[in-house]
Amino acid sequence: DTAVSQTPKYLVTQMGNDKSIKCEQNLGHDTMYWYKQDSKKFLKIMFSYNNKELIINETVPNRFSPKSPDKAHLNLHINSLELGDSAVYFCASSQEPSGGNGEQFFGPGTRLTVL
Amino acid sequence: GNSVTQMEGPVTLSEEAFLTINCTYTATGYPSLFWYVQYPGEGLQLLLKATKADDKGSNKGFEATYRKETTSFHLEKGSVQVSDSAVYFCALTIQGAQKLVFGQGTRLTINP
């Protein structure tokens, strides 16, 4: 009965590799997000998709490419991984329009370590 | 622009102490305000929210009041427990903006 799930939970890889993180939500929400949490716990939005369409791209390097095959899934592919990509990546979803409530439901996170 | 500022952490308290974590915001438009909590090794969970001025959000003994005049949304709890140890994030969203803007997080540790 997991609401927002992410795989994998941990990802350790070498610099220069390409990797993907998958996210699925079973809440029937229209909007999904990717956030990055750095080592100091600071959270920043990367992308947002509404009904499979990109609506927010917060000046993220184009090595990061989100893909939404349907509104229940939002995957994140990262090319040519760099040391600075090491972080915890959180997927989230929300029901929009939400009348401004904006409540989001978060996945458990994927800890990416680039060596 | 829109931003959220939280009190610097970490915060360490003894069990049953009174807790306040300060949060102030700047926003264009009329924000909804949130407190999210992140327990060790887990994702964020919504703790409480308030969508308009003077609303009070409450959950699990925590409270926060939306103060438009001071642009604040301070988190309080009268008697903390060890299980409250976590990182707390204040956040806002503007209607139609479809993204949360987070503060920097405050790590709270409660000692028995």
Side-chain angles (χ1 to χ4, degrees), chain A residues 9 31 33 35 37 40-45 48 50 55-56 58 90 96 99-109, chain B residues 31-32 34 36 38 41-46 49 51 87 89 93-105 107:
Chain A
K9 192 169 172 65
T31 307
Y33 312 79
Y35 288 87
Q37 185 177 47
K40 296 184 179 178
K41 296 291 188 183
F42 186 68
L43 266 164
K44 194 168 189 313
I45 190 163
S48 171
N50 183 269
I55 53 173
I56 294 175
E58 290 282 311
F90 286 100
E96 299 288 346
N101 283 346
E103 179 178 351
Q104 296 181 16
F105 295 79
F106 284 77
Chain B
S32 295
F34 305 83
Y36 279 82
Q38 185 179 24
E42 297 183 13
L44 279 74
Q45 304 172 24
L46 179 66
K49 66 180 181 183
T51 57
V87 181
F89 293 91
T93 189
I94 304 294
Q95 186 166 357
Q98 293 179 315
K99 67 176 182 179
L100 281 165
V101 175
F102 286 93
Q104 69 269 40
R107 183 181 295 279

Side-chain angles (χ1 to χ4, degrees), chain A residues 59-83:
Chain A
T59 60
V60 176
N62 58 15
R63 297 182 296 105
F64 290 79
S65 52
K67 295 247 180 341
S68 182
D70 56 61
K71 74 174 191 177
H73 295 83
L74 181 62
N75 304 322
L76 183 64
H77 188 76
I78 315 170
N79 289 326
S80 304
L81 278 155
E82 300 177 357
L83 294 177

Side-chain angles (χ1 to χ4, degrees), chain B residues 29-108:
Chain B
Y30 300 97
S32 295
L33 301 173
F34 305 83
W35 277 100
Y36 279 82
V37 58
Q38 185 179 24
Y39 297 104
E42 297 183 13
L44 279 74
Q45 304 172 24
L46 179 66
L47 180 60
L48 54 84
K49 66 180 181 183
T51 57
K52 61 183 189 298
D54 300 324
D55 271 2
K56 179 186 282 189
S58 60
N59 186 24
K60 299 181 181 179
F62 290 89
E63 292 183 340
T65 301
Y66 188 142
R67 301 279 187 208
K68 188 178 175 185
E69 64 276 12
T70 54
T71 62
S72 65
F73 193 54
H74 305 320
L75 183 67
E76 296 182 336
K77 186 173 185 181
S79 177
V80 292
Q81 306 300 313
V82 172
S83 57
D84 293 327
S85 299
V87 181
Y88 291 81
F89 293 91
C90 188
L92 68 79
T93 189
I94 304 294
Q95 186 166 357
Q98 293 179 315
K99 67 176 182 179
L100 281 165
V101 175
F102 286 93
Q104 69 269 40
T106 303
R107 183 181 295 279
L108 173 67

